[in-house]
Amino acid sequence: MAMAASAAAIAGRGRCSPSRAPAAAAPRPRLSCRCGCHPVPRRNVLSTMLSTSTVLLFGPKQMALAETTGGAFREYIDTFDGYSFLYPKSWIQVRGAGADIFFRDPFVLDENMSVEISSPSSSKYMTVEDLGSPEKAAERVLQQYLTEFMSTRLGVRRTSSILSASSKVSDDGRLYYEVEVNIKSYASSNELAVMPQDRVQRLEWDRRYLSVLGVENKRLYELRLQSPEKVFKEEEGDLRRVMDSFRVSKTA
């Protein structure tokens, strides 16, 4: 009887071990480390943290995250497509957004950033100057935004302006263009009304768009940042640091 009881206890312990294995192997901590999926309260964003670095392999892509000293930003590095940038530590990655990579502020939902890359098979850019002057590039960027925001709703009107267009040579020796535009959207809540006075258009949204353009690997890279104008002044320092950090690099 005692031997049977011992055997049963051993067997019972053997059956428990598989149930513990999935919890130990769960990938969530690694994924959250890669993309910052866990929202971080703003009051903790500037907390001091030790510098860390993580390199992960996902299929053909190799991406690295390095946490900057002070913990306010993380660095995103895509060695497969050839670009890198800093982003606020509290921002989260959104998948399926259509861009090569997309992050957003979990608190201000209209504040986000993404990277767009031209197709390697259809583009043969040698330098960002292939776009023309910074002013010409700004016109192209603005037109692209307006095309993306085209609406079939009745009573919708958009106004836009180019706020700045400039070029810079970064510390990697490459030439980049920086573009800043504003777009406002107006809409009527009663667009089917018969009387004109009942179809008054009101401001729907007012946003600042910042872009950094660079060329490498015969491809055009565009870092895009979006911020509501009402919070832009508060967030401007962080957004411009993200802009300044954007780099393109050669791929294998």
Side-chain angles (χ1 to χ4, degrees), residues 17-246:
S17 59
S19 66
R20 292 194 301 267
R28 288 187 179 181
R30 295 180 62 195
L31 290 176
S32 63
C33 178
R34 179 173 70 87
C35 63
C37 291
H38 297 292
V40 178
R42 285 183 180 273
R43 63 178 177 272
N44 292 339
V45 169
L46 297 177
S47 61
T48 302
M49 298 181 67
L50 296 177
S51 296
T52 59
S53 181
T54 305
V55 177
L56 303 99
L57 292 173
F58 288 85
K61 277 183 176 280
Q62 177 176 326
M63 292 163 284
L65 277 182
E67 202 160 281
T68 60
T69 302
F73 292 86
R74 287 194 178 108
E75 183 177 25
Y76 182 91
I77 305 172
D78 187 332
T79 58
F80 180 76
D81 286 312
Y83 64 87
S84 64
F85 57 83
L86 296 178
Y87 70 95
K89 186 179 76 172
S90 62
W91 286 25
I92 59 174
Q93 184 178 348
V94 178
R95 301 182 185 281
D100 195 69
I101 190 70
F102 187 99
F103 287 93
R104 73 185 305 173
D105 188 326
F107 305 99
V108 183
L109 299 184
D110 270 355
E111 194 168 52
N112 57 62
M113 62 175 297
S114 62
V115 173
E116 303 277 353
I117 314 174
S118 64
S119 169
S121 60
S122 61
S123 63
K124 300 296 180 184
Y125 292 96
M126 301 307 296
T127 171
V128 72
E129 291 177 305
D130 291 345
L131 299 174
S133 66
E135 292 73 21
K136 286 289 185 183
E139 292 173 6
R140 170 180 171 153
V141 167
L142 179 57
Q143 188 56 50
Q144 181 63 35
Y145 277 125
L146 293 175
T147 299
E148 293 173 6
F149 296 146
M150 286 182 65
S151 175
T152 57
R153 288 185 299 149
L154 296 175
V156 174
R157 177 173 60 91
R158 303 273 160 72
T159 63
S160 61
S161 60
I162 297 173
L163 303 179
S164 67
S166 61
S167 63
K168 70 172 185 179
V169 176
S170 194
D171 55 8
D172 60 359
R174 293 180 177 85
L175 181 66
Y176 295 86
Y177 283 176
E178 294 185 347
V179 173
E180 196 169 331
V181 304
N182 171 268
I183 302 177
K184 295 178 176 66
S185 178
Y186 298 86
S188 170
S189 59
N190 193 18
E191 64 272 8
L192 298 179
V194 176
M195 303 303 293
Q197 61 268 27
D198 296 327
R199 298 194 301 269
V200 177
Q201 290 183 327
R202 293 178 173 83
L203 182 65
E204 202 175 27
W205 48 259
D206 181 8
R207 298 174 185 155
R208 183 78 59 103
Y209 294 90
L210 306 102
S211 292
V212 182
L213 303 161
V215 167
E216 190 55 86
N217 308 305
K218 298 184 179 180
R219 305 172 74 182
L220 176 65
Y221 296 74
E222 181 181 2
L223 173 74
R224 293 178 160 198
L225 296 115
Q226 170 185 303
S227 176
E229 284 287 356
K230 63 183 179 182
V231 301
F232 177 74
K233 287 299 181 184
E234 176 188 349
E235 304 288 339
E236 184 175 6
D238 286 352
L239 296 177
R240 295 205 183 279
R241 182 171 180 188
V242 173
M243 290 180 70
D244 291 342
S245 72
F246 185 60

